[in-house]
Every structure is written in structure tokens, then in C-alpha cells.
């Protein structure tokens, strides 16, 4: 007597190609999602919150709708990297000039603003391209495009060619 067991169907070439194409599409979607994510990256604005009027600074940041958070344990204030210049300008308007990690308080607002503008021009002249806020996003987009191109050339194109060639073979 022969026992009835599961019939093992062999995995066909079409099934393998379908799995490869599905994985390729999922990987492409993941890469595109990763390159377009805009999670805020925070950078330190004030190194020691105990040396400044935290309430005034928080009020200014709130008025300008600047995303920030305070690390109470380490006494640091972080702002969204893309809004850090706006935060510095806003604080310079009330007389607080921040050149991380130093904070200088000026009673003359014009002098504070002029010092900030001078620092900003110096940063633009001597700043490195990889320290610009847009650089990391550009690198992610380029990496994503390269991954998708490699995926198309190395996986999708050969898989489609195999399916087409296999169909041509069946027609004969």
C-alpha cells in the first residue's frame, strides 16, 4: 500500500522569476521611500542651557515655529538642522548671538545682528559642501537612483529577457 503524501510540485522558472521581480519592486519602493523621508535632523544650538534665559529662547523659537527639543539631562537645546539659521537670526534679533558652542548676549541689537551676519558670511566663504543641509539629501537621492538602475540592469532586465526567451521557445 502506498501512502498518500503531499505532492511536491517543482518550482518553475516562471515562479522564480515572479519572486525575483516582486522582491525587486519591493526593494525599489523601499529605496524611494528612504530617499524621500524627511525626518528632522536636530543639531545642538545651545550647549549649556543654564547660562541663558531658557524661557525667552523657547518663546522666540515657538513664535518662529522652529522645531526644537531640550535635553534636560545634558542641559543642551537642539533645533531642526534646516531651521537652525532661522533660529540663530531670530535669537540675534533679541540680542543673543549663538556660535555653537558659545553664546554671547548683546544689549545693542544692531551690534548683535551685525555680528551674526559677519559670522554667516564667514561660514559661507569657508564652509565645506558636505556640511550644507541639502548635501545629505542629494547623496541619498543619488544612492537611491543608482540602486534602482542596478536593480533594473542586473535583475529585472535579465528576468524579463528570460521570460520572453522562454515564451519564444514554447512557440516553436
Amino acid at each position: 500500500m502506498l501512502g498518500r503524501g503531499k505532492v511536491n510540485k517543482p518550482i518553475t522558472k516562471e515562479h522564480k522569476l515572479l519572486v525575483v521581480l516582486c522582491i525587486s519592486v519591493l526593494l525599489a519602493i523601499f529605496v524611494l521611500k528612504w530617499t524621500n523621508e524627511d525626518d528632522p535632523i536636530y543639531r545642538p544650538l545651545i550647549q549649556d542651557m543654564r547660562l541663558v534665559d531658557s524661557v525667552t529662547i523657547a518663546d522666540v523659537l515657538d513664535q518662529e515655529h522652529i522645531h526644537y527639543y531640550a535635553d534636560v539631562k545634558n542641559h543642551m537645546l537642539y533645533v531642526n538642522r534646516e531651521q537652525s539659521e532661522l533660529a540663530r537670526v531670530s535669537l540675534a534679533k533679541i540680542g543673543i548671538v549663538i556660535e555653537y558652542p558659545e553664546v554671547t548676549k548683546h544689549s545693542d541689537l544692531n551690534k548683535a545682528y551685525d555680528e551674526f551676519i559677519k559670522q554667516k558670511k564667514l561660514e559661507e566663504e569657508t564652509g565645506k559642501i558636505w556640511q550644507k543641509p541639502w548635501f545629505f539629501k542629494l547623496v541619498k537621492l543619488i544612492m537611491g537612483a543608482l540602486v534602482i538602475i542596478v536593480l533594473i540592469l542586473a535583475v529585472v532586465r535579465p528576468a524579463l529577457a528570460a521570460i520572453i526567451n522562454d515564451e519564444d521557445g514554447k512557440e516553436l
Side-chain angles (χ1 to χ4, degrees):
M1 259 170 99
L2 293 173
R4 290 194 172 182
K6 290 198 311 188
V7 178
N8 289 336
K9 292 184 180 180
I11 298 176
T12 64
K13 187 176 185 179
E14 287 80 18
H15 288 109
K16 290 178 184 176
L17 292 174
L18 185 60
V19 168
V20 168
L21 288 174
C22 288
I23 290 172
S24 301
V25 169
L26 288 174
L27 183 62
I29 290 170
F30 171 76
V31 168
L32 287 173
K33 181 93 170 127
W34 175 71
T35 58
N36 288 325
E37 75 180 18
D38 285 334
D39 290 338
I41 299 171
Y42 289 94
R43 66 178 296 235
L45 181 67
I46 299 175
Q47 187 174 9
D48 194 350
M49 293 289 291
R50 296 173 292 190
L51 302 177
V52 296
D53 183 4
S54 305
V55 175
T56 303
I57 291 173
D59 287 342
V60 169
L61 297 177
D62 286 336
Q63 287 173 355
E64 296 292 334
H65 304 290
I66 297 171
H67 300 281
Y68 68 94
Y69 76 92
D71 182 357
V72 179
K73 181 179 177 185
N74 295 318
H75 308 288
M76 293 184 70
L77 180 73
Y78 295 88
V79 294
N80 184 345
R81 181 178 70 184
E82 293 180 5
Q83 296 176 312
S84 64
E85 294 304 315
L86 176 59
R88 291 179 61 206
V89 168
S90 300
L91 292 174
K93 287 179 184 176
I94 64 165
I96 300 173
V97 176
I98 297 174
E99 180 59 36
Y100 182 80
E102 298 174 14
V103 178
T104 310
K105 180 130 175 101
H106 294 279
S107 56
D108 183 8
L109 300 183
N110 290 330
K111 182 179 176 185
Y113 186 73
D114 290 341
E115 184 178 330
F116 172 76
I117 295 299
K118 183 176 75 173
Q119 290 173 358
K120 184 69 178 146
K121 285 181 182 176
L122 182 64
E123 285 177 13
E124 287 176 1
E125 293 171 0
T126 61
K128 313 239 179 332
I129 192 167
W130 58 86
Q131 294 174 339
K132 305 289 183 192
W134 52 265
F135 182 77
F136 184 65
K137 185 165 180 106
L138 178 67
V139 168
K140 283 175 43 177
L141 287 172
I142 291 171
M143 286 175 43
L146 288 175
V147 166
I148 291 173
I149 290 169
V150 168
L151 184 68
I152 290 170
L153 294 177
V155 178
V156 176
R157 184 171 173 238
L160 291 175
I163 290 173
I164 292 170
N165 290 338
D166 193 36
E167 288 176 2
D168 290 342
K170 287 182 182 178
E171 290 177 3
L172 294 175

